Each structure stands twice: as C-alpha cells, then as structure tokens.
Amino acid sequence: MSNATLPGDPPGGRRAIAVWCIGVSVYFVAVIFRTSLGVAGLDAADRFHVNASALSTFSILQLLVYAGMQIPVGLLVDRLGTKKVLGMGAVLFTAGQLGFALSPSYGTALASRALLGCGDAMTFISVLRLGSRWFPARRGPMVAQLAGLVGMAGNLVSTLVLARLLHSVGWTAAFAGSSVAGAVSFVLVLLFLKDHPEGHEPEPFPHRGSAYVRRQIAASWQEPGTRLGLWVHFTTQFPAMVFLLLWGLPFLVEAQGLSRATAGELLTLVVLSNMMVGLVYGQIVARHHAARLPLALGTAAATAFIWAATLLYPAERAPMWLLVVLCTVLGACGPASMIGFDFARPANPPERQGTASGITNMGGFVASMTTLFAIGVLLDATDDNFAAAFSVVFVLQAVGLSQILRLRRRAARRERERLVASRVETVHVPA
C-alpha cells in the first residue's frame, strides 16, 4: 500500500501531536477512574458489606452504561465535534469519581459508578475522531494503538499509584484526591483543544432529528467492516478487561494464594505487556494491512490456550511461571481489540466515523459486562470455584470467533470494492 498522503488528508505535524495529546490525556484520566475499582475490589466488598455478585454489579453497571452510550456518543461526536463531547465526558467522570469517594452506601456508590461510566463512554471515540481529523489516514492504525497504549498507562497508574494511596491515606482521600486530575483535564480541553486543523473543516452534513440518527446507525451497521470490527473487539478485549477491572486480584489472591503485593505486580505485568504489544501491533498493521485478522485470531487463540492451561493445571495452584505467561498473553488482548477499529474505519466515510467507532467499541464492553456478571454469579453458586467461574471466558470467545469467521470474506470483498472506487476517484481529481 502506498504511503502517499491521500487527497484531503490532514497534515499531521507538531500541532496535531499537541492537540491530540490534550485529547488523549482526558482518556488517560478516564481509564484511571474506570480501573480504580480493580485495585479496590476487596476493599469495596468490606466497605459496603457485599458478596461477589454485588461486587461485580459495580463494574457491570459501569460497563452497561458505557456500552449503552457508545452509539449515542458516536452520533454526538459526528454532530457536535470532539471538544464538546470530551468536555462533557470530563465533567461526568470527575463527578462520578468524587461521588464514589464520598458514597456512604452501596446504592449511592452504584449511582456514582454509573455516572463515571457515562463520562468514560465519551472519551475513547472522541480521541479516535480527533486522530482521524488531525493525522493522515495512513497513520490511523498507529494513532489508535497509541491511544490504547495511553489508556493502559492510565491502568498502570491505577495499579501502582492509586492502590498505594488507597492503603496509605484511605478510601475517601484516595478517590477524592484522584478526582482533581479530572478537573485539570476539563480545563485543558476547554482552553486548548480544537476539533480539526484550519482548512480541514468537515463538509456540512444535514442533521434532521430521528431520521438522521436512524440513517447514521443503519448505514454504519450495513457495512460488513463495521460488524466485523465489533466482533473482533468483542472476542479479543474482554479476557484482559475482566481480569484488570475486577476479578484478577481476587483470583490471584484467593485462588492462587499470592500476596496482594505479588498480585499487584502481575496486574502491572498485564499493563506493561499491553503497552509493548500495542506498539508492535500498530507498526505491523500500518505496514501490512492483511495482518489484521491473523493478529486478532492468533491473540484470541493464545488467550484461550493459556487460560485453559492455567485453570486445568493438575496441582491445586498454578506455578508462578504459568501465571507470568498468562498475564503476558492477556496483555495482547487490548492491542488486538484495537484492530477492530481498523476494520470499521475504512468501511465508513468521515461523517460516520464516530457512529461506526461507537458500534465497534460496544463489542468488547458487552462481552466484558456479560463475563463480569457470569463470573460473580458462578463464584457464589460454586462456593468460590474460580476454575468453574472463569470457564465462561471460553463460551464468549466461541461466540465471537464464529461471527468473525462468518463475516471476514464479506468485509474483505467490500473493502476491496471501496479501495478500487477511491482510486478511480483519485485518478479523476484534477491537478
């Protein structure tokens, strides 16, 4: 594939990097807030006096709101632009984090996590849209992977910094203090963010109420690339998301007998692996477009294999080397899920990018929400049998893989047709 800049592509450059960094900083803070419960799950159970099912409801509700908001947020980004949506997101997730810090009861804590999920839902799609508006199309895969890498850096901060704050200054001070970062991110958006570079304003597109909404959703869904992107995201993201968001720490501490410090180091390994693999996957996909599906399928297969080896290990507890391999492989799930957007992006024109990204982004979070709930229920039903509870991972992976295999040829054919059509149009553009 040629690396020539496409007609109408934004120029990129230092200004683009500066603006994009402001946008991605909001996503960075949102991920810190989103994953903060992953290091506080056992503390939350003690604070609110709840069992495993009730504890999982925190993350399930947060992800339910997040997933349910994806298409509305995509439509908002297409209609209002990145700055307004990111600003609203920063206000909402900051209020949610502060509310969680001050919650006196389980019910108010649930409401706070829902508010946080609503704000969090507005960040990633906005950052993807910002990247497509400020950087050339050929940079899309790398920019998307870098955004995911920054998100994992937020997860790393949550694992290393927030966990220590929680146990040194206490629940309220740790969560309330972290909410200051959300307020700072909102100010940065308000003062410095721009939706697009000068001279690259999007073409006006008519917005006519419900008819516009239906047209955007239907047109995006009709593209096989959008649906394939959703199922790639569904299949690859959730094993690591579930592990980091809630159940990794209890699994390592209660089922594997590790100390909290050692378990925290393994969770950190997942994040570090994610960051390293993300850079590699971004480079590979940017240079070799055909590598998208093999990378996604290979990651899903490796994840299933290593989970099976861990859960079925003949001894009572898996050895440390196997847990290290498990956490390293789980680190590839996030970068693999980002490949879903590389199927949806070329399948849709610029005015549908937000909506298509929203549909794609629903996949992994629906899978994560389903798995979080199922694990909580199975843990209560089996007297904390983690092997039985985590077996639900294989069911969700099987569903996702069947859909990927069903859609892959149709999406590839449609992408070739669009590529040929764009080349024909480029040839007829006057010099």
Side-chain angles (χ1 to χ4, degrees):
M1 183 177 293
S2 172
N3 286 332
T5 301
L6 298 175
D9 261 4
R14 292 182 179 177
R15 179 79 187 282
I17 293 172
V19 172
W20 183 80
C21 284
I22 293 170
V24 84
S25 69
V26 182
Y27 176 56
F28 172 76
V29 175
V31 173
I32 295 176
F33 292 179
R34 178 201 304 170
T35 57
S36 58
L37 188 61
V39 297
L42 298 177
D43 300 86
D46 292 336
R47 180 179 177 86
F48 300 112
H49 309 292
V50 294
N51 60 15
S53 297
L55 181 61
S56 67
T57 304
F58 277 122
S59 296
I60 291 166
L61 179 61
Q62 184 180 332
L63 291 183
L64 178 64
V65 172
Y66 187 105
M69 286 289 292
Q70 288 310 291
I71 292 178
V73 168
L75 291 164
L76 282 175
V77 170
D78 286 337
R79 183 165 187 172
L80 300 180
T82 300
K83 181 170 184 172
K84 292 179 180 178
V85 177
L86 269 181
M88 288 189 291
V91 170
L92 291 173
F93 67 60
T94 301
Q97 185 77 341
L98 183 60
F100 194 58
L102 303 175
S103 293
S105 66
Y106 178 68
T108 54
L110 274 179
S112 296
R113 294 307 286 187
L115 189 62
L116 193 157
C118 186
D120 181 19
M122 297 182 173
T123 59
F124 187 65
I125 294 175
S126 297
V127 170
L128 289 180
R129 173 64 173 258
L130 196 66
S132 68
R133 289 298 187 191
W134 280 89
F135 293 96
R138 69 180 186 277
R139 302 293 185 194
M142 194 63 198
V143 170
Q145 288 288 354
L146 285 173
L149 188 151
V150 171
M152 291 310 295
N155 201 325
L156 190 62
V157 169
S158 178
T159 303
L160 295 179
V161 179
L162 191 59
R164 292 179 182 177
L165 280 175
L166 187 65
H167 297 112
S168 61
V169 302
W171 179 283
T172 301
F175 281 99
S178 66
S179 66
V180 174
V184 172
S185 69
F186 172 72
V187 172
L188 290 175
V189 169
L190 199 63
L191 295 179
F192 302 112
L193 193 74
K194 287 192 66 175
D195 284 339
H196 47 72
E198 294 181 8
H200 289 270
E201 294 81 2
E203 295 182 7
F205 193 74
H207 306 296
R208 297 178 181 173
S210 60
Y212 161 75
V213 171
R214 289 194 299 270
R215 183 167 59 249
Q216 285 285 91
I217 296 173
S220 298
W221 183 255
Q222 285 171 3
E223 290 291 344
T226 304
R227 282 174 281 148
L228 179 59
L230 179 147
W231 286 109
V232 167
H233 200 268
F234 177 101
T235 307
T236 54
Q237 188 208 43
F238 80 93
M241 176 68 74
V242 167
F243 197 80
L244 289 171
L245 200 58
L246 184 62
W247 292 122
L249 189 68
F251 170 74
L252 295 171
V253 173
E254 296 179 5
Q256 300 302 319
L258 303 180
S259 67
R260 282 197 178 206
T262 304
E265 290 172 357
L266 286 174
L267 293 178
T268 303
L269 177 61
V270 178
V271 177
L272 293 175
S273 173
N274 182 296
M275 296 170 74
M276 290 185 290
V277 173
L279 290 174
V280 175
Y281 278 18
Q283 291 284 359
I284 292 174
V285 173
R287 297 178 181 179
H288 308 285
H289 222 45
R292 292 172 299 171
L293 201 56
L295 284 176
L297 293 176
T299 302
T303 304
F305 176 80
I306 195 63
W307 257 124
T310 302
L311 297 176
L312 298 176
Y313 194 77
E316 182 180 354
R317 292 169 180 169
M320 178 57 70
W321 67 264
L322 184 56
L323 295 176
V324 168
V325 174
L326 170 68
C327 291
T328 303
V329 172
L330 285 176
C333 291
S337 72
M338 298 298 296
I339 295 173
F341 297 101
D342 293 317
F343 287 106
R345 189 183 303 110
N348 293 274
E351 65 269 15
R352 288 207 310 264
Q353 288 295 318
T355 306
S357 295
I359 292 172
T360 300
N361 207 29
M362 283 180 62
F365 289 93
V366 169
S368 297
M369 177 179 61
T370 304
T371 308
L372 281 167
F373 176 75
I375 288 175
V377 170
L378 288 171
L379 283 174
D380 286 338
T382 61
D383 195 22
D384 291 340
N385 185 328
F386 278 87
F390 274 98
S391 64
V392 73
V393 169
F394 306 112
V395 177
L396 271 291
Q397 282 189 317
V399 172
L401 285 170
S402 67
Q403 294 300 312
I404 291 172
L405 296 176
R406 182 178 69 85
L407 289 165
R408 70 189 193 282
R409 289 193 179 90
R410 199 181 316 170
R413 182 171 61 250
R414 177 67 174 145
E415 192 170 296
R416 285 194 300 269
E417 292 170 356
R418 291 182 70 92
L419 182 60
V420 170
S422 66
R423 285 175 175 171
V424 170
E425 290 177 4
T426 302
V427 169
H428 289 89
V429 170

